[in-house]
Amino acid sequence: MTVRPITIIGHKALHQPTKRVKEITDDIRTLVADMFETMEAAKGVGLAANQVGVRHRLFVMDCPTEDDGDDNVRAAIINPVLERGPVPVGEPPEEDGAEGCLSVPGEHFPTARAHWARVTGLDLDGNPIVVEGTGLIARCLQHETDHLDGKLYLDRLTPTQRTISRQAVKERGWEAAHITKWDPATQTADKV
């Protein structure tokens, strides 16, 4: 398994919809293993394929449940389809809705998400898989499928939070420095 560099905001792979996986090959299995390794090295709870520069419609997650911090939902989901409850209108409370992303390192912003979500897709053996949950599980499912649709969580922010997030990204200097990837294993950034 290999820790892969993670694409960060500004990289074109994050803003393009991914393509359905037609066949689960050894290359897909290796990608998934690498994604789990990368997510763990970066201390994340989810990672979409385009976050490591691959345009396949799949993500991995290892996300704690609300009931017990030691009980995680760990899955690789290929060709996920999302269902969700209603998204609350207005500014989300900061204590309930702070969301982060490995592709926007070091930042967290209040993001309105549905309290319940379910994703259906395939596992690595090609069998149907369903992952459903509330709270953090629901947030993770929505966040990762957004990635696969070419959206960042920053795209979901209210106008007030979007302005704050743009300033934070500008202050980090990623786009000005042309930084497109960071390596969670070495904590180094790559420039284009």
Side-chain angles (χ1 to χ4, degrees), residues 11 15-16 60 82 94 98-99 118 121 142 147 151 165 192:
H11 192 287
H15 306 286
Q16 298 172 337
V60 299
L82 175 71
E94 287 202 35
E99 191 165 317
R118 172 179 31 224
Q142 293 168 83
H147 272 302
K151 296 185 184 326
S165 75
V192 285

Side-chain angles (χ1 to χ4, degrees), residues 14-34:
L14 297 173
H15 306 286
Q16 298 172 337
T18 55
K19 298 178 180 180
R20 290 182 57 80
V21 174
K22 295 178 183 175
E23 182 181 359
I24 301 169
T25 63
D26 286 342
D27 286 343
I28 294 292
R29 288 183 181 86
T30 298
L31 170 63
V32 166
D34 290 353

Side-chain angles (χ1 to χ4, degrees), residues 12-91:
K12 68 181 181 179
L14 297 173
H15 306 286
Q16 298 172 337
T18 55
K19 298 178 180 180
R20 290 182 57 80
V21 174
K22 295 178 183 175
E23 182 181 359
I24 301 169
T25 63
D26 286 342
D27 286 343
I28 294 292
R29 288 183 181 86
T30 298
L31 170 63
V32 166
D34 290 353
M35 288 173 62
F36 272 118
E37 186 84 5
T38 303
M39 179 184 64
E40 290 164 8
K43 296 178 177 43
V45 297
L47 187 67
N50 55 343
Q51 287 182 275
V52 293
V54 179
R55 287 193 59 201
H56 290 311
R57 189 166 182 82
L58 67 92
F59 70 84
V60 299
M61 64 185 291
D62 191 356
C63 188
T65 64
E66 287 184 349
D67 299 333
D68 182 352
D70 294 333
D71 187 24
N72 286 12
V73 174
R74 183 176 170 92
I77 305 171
I78 299 168
N79 298 330
V81 176
L82 175 71
E83 299 172 67
R84 62 173 174 75
V87 176
V89 179
E91 293 287 333

Side-chain angles (χ1 to χ4, degrees), residues 114-136:
H115 182 68
W116 168 88
R118 172 179 31 224
V119 166
T120 57
L122 300 174
D123 67 14
L124 277 177
D125 295 321
N127 298 317
I129 184 173
V130 177
V131 178
E132 180 176 356
T134 59
L136 187 57

Side-chain angles (χ1 to χ4, degrees), residues 155-170:
D155 300 328
R156 299 274 183 208
L157 299 179
T158 62
T160 301
Q161 291 299 320
R162 193 173 304 127
T163 299
I164 294 168
S165 75
R166 285 184 183 141
Q167 184 61 34
V169 167
K170 184 178 179 181

